[in-house]
Amino acid sequence: MKITWLGHSGFRIEIADQVLLIDPWLHGNPMFDESNAEAATKGATALLLSHGHFDHTNDSVDVAKKTGAKVVGIFELMGHLAEKEGVETVGFNLGGTVSLGEVSVTLVGARHSSSMAGLGYAGTEAGFMISGEGKTIYFSGDTDVMADMGVYQDLHAPDIGILSCGGHFTMDMKRAAYAAKKFFKFKTVIPCHYKTFPLLAQDAKELAKGLPGVDVIEPEVMKAIEL
C-alpha cells in the first residue's frame, strides 16, 4: 500500500487493485506543484470526495474526465456532478458501503459543513473507511472530534488514521490527538489539512507528543509512504 500526500487534504492511495484520489486539489493549492498533476493522477480508478468545499472538489471534474475515474461520495453532491458535469459517479450515504474492485469504502460521518458554488447545499460532510490488503484506513475528512468515532472504531477497527488537524476550520493538533487516543487504536497516524495557509498549524509536533506509541508520520508532498 502506498499513501501519497498531494498537499492540504488531498491523497493518492494505491491499495489492492485501486488507485484512489481523495479530495485532489491540484490547481491553486499552495502546497502542490502543478507540474506534478499528471503523476499524481496517473492510473486513477476512483475519486473520493468528502464534501463540497472548493479546496476538496475544484479539480474533481477535470481529473475525472482526464482519467476516466468515477467519482464517489455523498448522494447530493454526486447527483449534481453527474447531471451538470457529465461525469460517472457513485452516490451513497452515511453508513453505506460500496465496492471498488478489491477495496471496500464506507461513508462515515464528520462534523463540519458542505456547500459548493453553483449548488449551495452539497449534501452532508463525510469521512471514509477504506479497506483493502487486510488493512483499514480512516480518512476523517474535515471534522471536529465526535463521540461517533467510538462507534467507528468498534465497527471498523482502522489501523491507519488520516486526520484533519490544522485547526480553525477543523480540529487542531490537540483535539486530533485526543480523538485518536480516546476513540481509536491506530498503529499509524498521518496529519492533513495543515501547513497550507498561515492560519493553520505548520507542524504536527503536538499531535505526535499526544500519541506516544503511535507512528505519527508527517507526510511530504508527492513522497509515497509505504505501509
Side-chain angles (χ1 to χ4, degrees):
M1 179 190 302
K2 293 182 180 179
I3 300 175
T4 304
W5 194 32
L6 307 180
H8 199 55
S9 286
F11 284 87
R12 174 188 172 96
I13 300 180
E14 298 170 55
I15 178 172
D17 61 345
Q18 298 294 300
V19 177
L20 307 178
L21 301 179
I22 305 181
D23 291 350
W25 180 29
L26 309 179
H27 297 88
N29 179 348
M31 297 199 68
F32 187 81
D33 182 343
E34 294 179 15
S35 67
N36 288 321
E38 185 174 350
T41 60
K42 184 178 180 180
T45 55
L47 278 66
L48 308 185
L49 300 185
S50 65
H51 63 293
H53 290 160
F54 77 93
D55 51 333
H56 300 257
T57 63
N58 265 15
D59 285 280
S60 58
V61 171
D62 183 57
V63 171
K65 288 182 176 179
K66 284 183 177 178
T67 63
K70 64 186 69 175
V71 188
V72 180
I74 198 74
F75 181 80
E76 289 83 358
L77 179 55
M78 295 305 103
H80 171 76
L81 294 177
E83 179 181 353
K84 300 298 183 181
E85 304 292 350
V87 296
E88 181 183 359
T89 65
V90 178
F92 61 145
N93 218 309
L94 302 183
T97 300
V98 297
S99 294
L100 302 174
E102 298 172 6
V103 177
S104 69
V105 177
T106 300
L107 200 64
V108 297
R111 191 170 297 279
H112 189 59
S113 63
S114 182
S115 60
M116 188 178 191
L119 174 62
Y121 174 68
T124 190
E125 58 277 12
F128 300 100
M129 289 288 178
I130 303 164
S131 296
E133 298 187 19
K135 295 183 176 69
T136 297
I137 302 166
Y138 170 49
F139 177 81
S140 73
D142 287 12
T143 192
D144 188 19
V145 182
M146 305 177 296
D148 288 356
M149 291 172 170
V151 177
Y152 302 156
Q153 169 63 32
D154 290 345
L155 289 173
H156 299 279
D159 312 274
I160 302 157
I162 300 177
L163 306 180
S164 61
C165 50
H168 195 83
F169 297 106
T170 71
M171 55 189 176
D172 59 15
M173 295 293 170
K174 180 179 180 180
R175 296 171 80 86
Y178 171 86
K181 185 163 54 178
K182 174 73 173 179
F183 298 113
F184 294 105
K185 299 177 182 178
F186 295 127
K187 296 176 183 176
T188 304
V189 166
I190 300 170
C192 69
H193 210 288
Y194 78 125
K195 291 187 176 182
T196 320
F197 313 108
L199 190 64
L200 306 180
Q202 298 299 301
D203 63 64
K205 292 177 182 177
E206 187 174 10
L207 179 67
K209 182 179 178 181
L211 294 174
V214 177
D215 187 15
V216 177
I217 301 175
E218 287 212 51
E220 296 181 52
V221 176
M222 291 301 293
K223 297 289 183 66
I225 299 167
E226 297 194 34
L227 298 170

